Amino acid sequence: MNHPLDSAPKRVTICEVGPRDGLQNEAVPISTEDKIRFCDLLSDAGVPILEATSFVSPKHVPQMADAGEVFRRIRKDAGRTYLVLVPNERGLDRAMEAGVRAIAVFTAASEAFAKANIRMSIDQSVDTFANVVKRAKADGMWVRGALSTAFGCPFQGDVPVTDVVRVCKRLLDLGVDELSVADTIGVGTPNQVFDIVDALRAVVPPEKLGLHFHDTRGTALANTLAALECGVRIYDTSAGGLGGCPFAPGATGNCATEDLVYLLHGMGIETGIDLAKLRAASRFIAGKLGRPLASRAYTALEAADTRTSRLAAVR
Ligand code: COA
Ligand code: ZN
């Protein structure tokens, strides 16, 4: 019998964004030492791409002010990609000084969000990135183009699919190696995933398309399943479901890495990630944040382990 998910990939690449998308939005300051430890635990867990930090303006995002030191001191395993966000040439200079080999430039599908997040119009941001991408590629770097608010904008509301395609095309024309198309405020539903992925087929080869879901309204896994059905193989998630964007009112955490890994492994789809080691990374950062994590899989598996160890103690 044909299965609806026969077209789903057998292996998925997860880009772990907890240290950046997650920590940038936390009120509790996390020390440089603890950020480094968190990244190293995520490397231990086997994440193939780690978005470690961002070289943005410390005036706008104080939590990422120590990007240079964090990046220099995290362990870089062979075969993994350590990615950072770069908004302009100043960011690229700082990234190069720190030895970065993979960057993401980022703009938005809606003008209002681009203005709030990077204080540029979409056109201005693409102009700014032209030099950034050119210099990065000349240096042999891997470059990602990230697009915020593709599924809805906190200021504008609905975002036309044609705008998403138009800005993605402009990023691809700059020469980026991969796209990450984001539901920054977690408003998307699976029908939108089908529409957006379908419309993007005309401009981006499937192996270059990544999606970035937030679970603000509980639709992140449903959206991921829809995207798997479309053959999308790259997903951004955050350990424990950390996250949000300081410039997107009401935005909460990313799709949790544990939730997606649990779902994929259950479906026989490989990720290369060790779920127990991933939970160790999340447990570490939860302790530093002093709050419970949003991830359902993390919470359930931690509770099951506690029950088992209690039973063992009784015996
Ligand atoms: N790294 C460090 N400092 C930077 C910087 C960078 N990449 N870019 C700008 N700055 C500094 C400037 O030197 C300037 O400092 P000064 O006032 O001491 O001279 C200050 O930041 C403002 O610079 P300006 O060029 O006027 O930028 P802006 O205020 O228009 O902000 C961005 C533009 C893109 C730098 C800023 O909006 C930004 O960093 N946004 C990132 C937001 C983000 O990370 N969002 C989450 C990801 S979705
Ligand atoms: Zn995000």
Side-chain angles (χ1 to χ4, degrees):
M1 193 186 92
N2 274 349
H3 197 283
L5 279 164
D6 278 349
S7 54
K10 299 289 170 267
R11 190 178 177 93
V12 151
T13 300
I14 288 182
C15 172
E16 166 62 51
V17 299
R20 198 281 304 170
D21 208 347
L23 297 187
Q24 76 178 7
N25 208 34
E26 291 293 340
V28 176
I30 301 292
S31 71
T32 305
E33 222 57 53
D34 290 341
K35 289 176 185 172
I36 294 166
R37 176 89 182 120
F38 183 39
C39 286
D40 288 351
L41 287 167
L42 290 165
S43 285
D44 288 344
V47 300
I49 308 180
L50 180 61
E51 197 173 272
T53 185
S54 57
F55 288 82
V56 296
S57 165
K59 286 199 174 144
H60 296 282
V61 189
Q63 299 90 327
M64 297 287 121
D66 55 358
E69 190 181 350
V70 169
F71 193 85
R72 259 189 290 272
R73 291 178 49 204
I74 57 172
R75 205 179 73 230
K76 285 112 182 159
D77 292 349
R80 302 190 205 294
T81 301
Y82 294 89
L83 181 68
V84 305
L85 292 195
V86 161
N88 52 21
E89 291 205 63
R90 174 80 204 285
L92 182 65
D93 293 339
R94 291 174 61 210
M96 282 176 160
E97 274 164 37
V100 167
R101 303 303 304 146
I103 62 162
V105 293
F106 56 107
T107 186
S110 74
E111 284 295 349
F113 192 77
K115 270 265 154 42
N117 193 34
I118 50 175
R119 299 162 68 91
M120 295 181 239
S121 68
I122 295 170
D123 280 350
Q124 281 169 339
S125 71
V126 175
D127 286 348
T128 301
F129 301 156
N131 265 339
V132 173
V133 176
K134 199 167 145 201
R135 282 179 55 204
K137 296 300 295 178
D139 195 52
M141 287 188 185
W142 185 76
V143 182
R144 220 180 190 214
L147 186 78
S148 299
T149 59
F151 291 74
C153 168
F155 311 113
Q156 169 186 319
D158 291 346
V159 173
V161 176
T162 46
D163 290 354
V164 176
V165 175
R166 186 177 56 83
V167 187
C168 282
K169 168 103 177 47
R170 296 195 64 188
L171 290 172
L172 289 161
D173 288 345
L174 294 179
V176 303
D177 298 290
E178 183 175 296
L179 284 180
S180 167
V181 175
D183 183 6
T184 310
I185 53 169
V187 285
T189 46
N191 55 308
Q192 279 182 285
V193 175
F194 293 130
D195 289 348
I196 289 174
V197 173
D198 199 42
L200 282 172
R201 275 186 228 284
V203 295
V204 59
E207 69 277 8
K208 286 189 172 188
L209 176 62
L211 293 175
H212 175 121
F213 294 119
H214 281 252
D215 201 28
T216 317
R217 290 163 186 78
T219 56
L221 277 187
N223 290 342
T224 305
L225 196 65
L228 283 168
E229 215 173 306
C230 302
V232 176
R233 279 176 265 181
I234 305 158
Y235 298 93
D236 297 354
T237 59
S238 72
L242 297 171
C245 173
F247 304 98
T252 60
N254 294 84
C255 180
T257 312
E258 285 89 345
D259 294 0
L260 182 57
V261 167
Y262 181 85
L263 178 109
L264 293 173
H265 291 185
M267 291 170 67
I269 300 172
E270 286 175 37
T271 64
I273 292 177
D274 179 322
L275 186 50
K277 289 185 178 168
L278 175 65
R279 282 165 52 209
S282 294
R283 199 179 303 128
F284 169 78
I285 204 68
K288 300 296 167 187
L289 292 169
R291 67 165 177 88
L293 297 174
S295 167
R296 306 285 290 270
Y298 170 82
T299 308
L301 292 166
E302 291 287 290
D305 277 4
T306 311
R307 278 196 300 275
T308 313
S309 50
R310 269 206 213 109
L311 277 178
V314 170
R315 278 193 202 116

